[in-house]
Amino acid sequence: MKFRSVKGTKDILPPESFLWQHTEEMIRGVMHTFNYREIRTPVFEETALFARGIGELTDIVGKEMYTFTDRSMTRLTLKPEMTASVVRAYIQNNMGEQSSLVKVYYLSPMFRQERPQAGRLRQFHQYGAEAIGGGSYTIDADIIALAVSVLGGAGITGCSVRINSVGCENCRPAYREKLKKFLRPKLDNLSEESRARFDLNVMRILDTKNENDRKLAAGAPLIKDNLCEECDSHFTGLRETLRELKIDAEVDGTIVRGLDYYTKTAFEITSPDLGSQDALVGGGRYDLLVSELGGKPTPAVGFAAGMERLLMVMQKQSSRETPLPAPAIFIAAADEPGRKWALAATMDARRAGVAAETDFLGRSLKSQMREADRQKALFAIVVGRTEIETGKGVLKDMRAGTETPVELDALATHVRQMTGAADSADASDTVHGPGKSAHRIKR
Ligand code: HAM
């Protein structure tokens, strides 16, 4: 019996995994410059947390969660998003007592049972950030600037930032009635999905992907034009701050978002390079969620973005290549004594912080050298009885083709000098040279 990965899941193999590491490192760097600190939460939580946090009537909770009952009959769910988990952790660990504005970021797998297609998986990965404890529009601007900076760090261009305000419990009830009044005469012609939304969450009809529904909803009153004074001045403040930060954000009154916790600011960043699943980043303010989940009333704002989608856009847009980590030296054995010596010398080199490899498959010398070449080793040396007896060998520079006599005792030191390898255990990082921000994997 042959096993295959589950539908909608994906193996991340080398060399692609190297591109992931590179990108994750860049994301962490940007998060740290914005003074966000990493949070890690469990992969599963009690189902009720998500049902309550995201909203019973959302697609995520209604149709997409991976929910199971464990042996002690507890209902658990693999996390479909991070915000509810972060808020749970914030409350449980009294994080608000340590700091009045808690700024955290994450990189984590998420699970949603959606129909898989390009850019849509059942296990996918999000990076994101949450700022809990501040109600000012300047934090919304900080979060949007952070999301934009990560895209900048990835070298991505051509994305659109679209913002909206979805109001609050003061302005939404009257607006919902206004919207229903507009849509009621068109109800029979709307899709089944939109008809269901009419009673459950009428605002979500506005961000439908159904073309006919879009046409029918054109000209509908928008929440951004029906805000209470507080929400309106928050939205104005955000737009002015974004202008100040030179972030080009288009106001799009149809952004509603598929999670129920949003209040005031909601935003999305899309890329034309993504096709139909064009949302790269989604986020907004959720001032009621902390109290909804049992904490003190605490305003908050955040965003999340799909790693797979980010990498898709990076691969599409970039012509730069990411050099892969390669051994600094390949120590080949000419005969049996050479084999034993080669492994010991490989270990010495590694201890000295030099990425080193040798042959483990008893290959011929010719095929060992071919392997050194395939692995793009920077240097190679052949060692056999003669070299061991004389304590001398010849170091071959695999790129230049030049050969230099070396004392075997000083092999690691010599390679270190030649490669400029620093005093680091992560030798792979020290040998592949510049090009840290490059994107495409060099094969
Ligand atoms: P979301 O819009 O559901 O928001 O997801 C954010 C991003 O995750 C999407 O824009 C997309 O890039 C990626 N994503 C979502 N579902 C999939 C999927 N099935 N396959 C691949 N990528 C996917 C949230 O999750 C909110 N928690 C964002 C937030 C944080 N709001 C406030 N704080």
Side-chain angles (χ1 to χ4, degrees), residues 81 83 112 114 119 121 126 130 257 261-262 279-280 302-303 306:
E81 62 109 45
T83 312
R112 295 184 194 177
E114 294 190 79
L121 289 138
Q126 280 187 346
E130 314 289 343
R257 309 270 308 127
Y261 47 61
Y262 293 107
L280 193 50
F303 84 89

Side-chain angles (χ1 to χ4, degrees), residues 60 80-84 106 112 114 119-126 129-130 257-259 261-262 268-269 274 279-286 301-309:
I60 297 180
E81 62 109 45
M82 267 298 272
T83 312
Y106 45 84
R112 295 184 194 177
E114 294 190 79
R120 195 160 70 190
L121 289 138
R122 291 184 168 177
Q123 174 172 341
F124 59 101
H125 299 75
Q126 280 187 346
E130 314 289 343
R257 309 270 308 127
L259 304 95
Y261 47 61
Y262 293 107
E268 284 183 357
I269 305 181
L274 277 175
L280 193 50
V281 179
R285 182 161 276 288
Y286 48 95
V301 58
F303 84 89
M307 271 299 282
E308 286 82 359
R309 293 188 191 178

Side-chain angles (χ1 to χ4, degrees), residues 276-297:
S276 66
Q277 296 301 314
D278 66 351
L280 193 50
V281 179
R285 182 161 276 288
Y286 48 95
D287 288 347
L288 305 176
L289 187 59
V290 180
S291 55
E292 185 71 29
L293 296 178
K296 289 190 209 120

Side-chain angles (χ1 to χ4, degrees), residues 73-338:
M73 301 311 281
T74 311
R75 295 275 286 167
L76 301 171
T77 295
L78 301 183
K79 60 186 169 191
E81 62 109 45
M82 267 298 272
T83 312
S85 300
V86 170
V87 169
R88 196 259 317 130
Y90 171 89
I91 299 167
Q92 182 179 338
N93 299 289
N94 299 316
M95 291 172 79
E97 279 167 28
Q98 292 141 38
S99 166
S100 39
L101 181 61
V102 171
K103 293 170 76 174
V104 289
Y105 77 87
Y106 45 84
L107 285 152
S108 176
M110 302 291 155
F111 307 85
R112 295 184 194 177
Q113 194 167 358
E114 294 190 79
R115 198 167 47 78
Q117 64 181 77
R120 195 160 70 190
L121 289 138
R122 291 184 168 177
Q123 174 172 341
F124 59 101
H125 299 75
Q126 280 187 346
Y127 65 89
E130 314 289 343
I132 308 178
S136 160
Y137 54 78
T138 54
I139 311 174
D140 305 21
D142 194 51
I143 278 283
I144 294 173
L146 172 56
V148 168
S149 293
V150 171
L151 302 182
I156 285 180
T157 55
C159 292
S160 315
V161 182
R162 295 180 301 126
I163 56 170
N164 192 21
S165 175
V166 294
C168 68
E169 283 315 305
N170 289 331
C171 40
R172 266 198 297 235
Y175 166 71
R176 278 199 200 100
E177 285 316 309
K178 213 168 167 178
L179 182 58
K180 279 189 172 172
K181 203 167 156 200
F182 176 89
L183 290 171
R184 198 166 278 119
K186 304 162 193 274
L187 202 54
D188 288 344
N189 297 320
L190 285 170
S191 67
E192 201 182 313
E193 186 179 43
S194 289
R195 280 204 304 274
R197 285 175 173 176
F198 186 84
D199 289 319
L200 302 175
N201 187 354
V202 66
M203 283 168 69
R204 289 233 47 217
I205 296 180
L206 297 180
D207 77 349
T208 174
K209 286 218 172 344
N210 182 304
E211 267 312 307
N212 189 50
D213 288 1
R214 272 184 182 276
K215 277 190 202 133
L216 290 168
L222 298 171
I223 178 82
K224 72 177 176 63
D225 304 318
N226 291 274
L227 297 172
C228 62
E229 214 179 302
E230 192 192 316
C231 288
D232 195 46
S233 77
H234 187 98
F235 196 39
T236 307
L238 172 63
R239 291 196 314 265
E240 286 170 0
T241 312
L242 289 175
R243 259 197 302 276
E244 202 66 46
L245 298 179
K246 308 222 169 359
I247 293 174
D248 205 4
E250 179 199 332
V251 173
D252 180 347
T254 66
I255 292 181
V256 180
R257 309 270 308 127
L259 304 95
D260 279 354
Y261 47 61
Y262 293 107
T263 48
K264 294 182 178 160
T265 308
F267 71 95
E268 284 183 357
I269 305 181
T270 52
S271 166
D273 287 309
L274 277 175
S276 66
Q277 296 301 314
D278 66 351
L280 193 50
V281 179
R285 182 161 276 288
Y286 48 95
D287 288 347
L288 305 176
L289 187 59
V290 180
S291 55
E292 185 71 29
L293 296 178
K296 289 190 209 120
T298 311
V301 58
F303 84 89
M307 271 299 282
E308 286 82 359
R309 293 188 191 178
L310 176 74
L311 289 161
M312 270 170 76
V313 180
M314 284 165 68
Q315 298 262 36
K316 261 201 183 142
Q317 289 193 0
S318 175
S319 55
R320 286 182 286 172
E321 291 194 335
T322 301
L324 291 172
I329 181 155
F330 192 99
I331 305 180
D335 49 29
E336 211 41 48

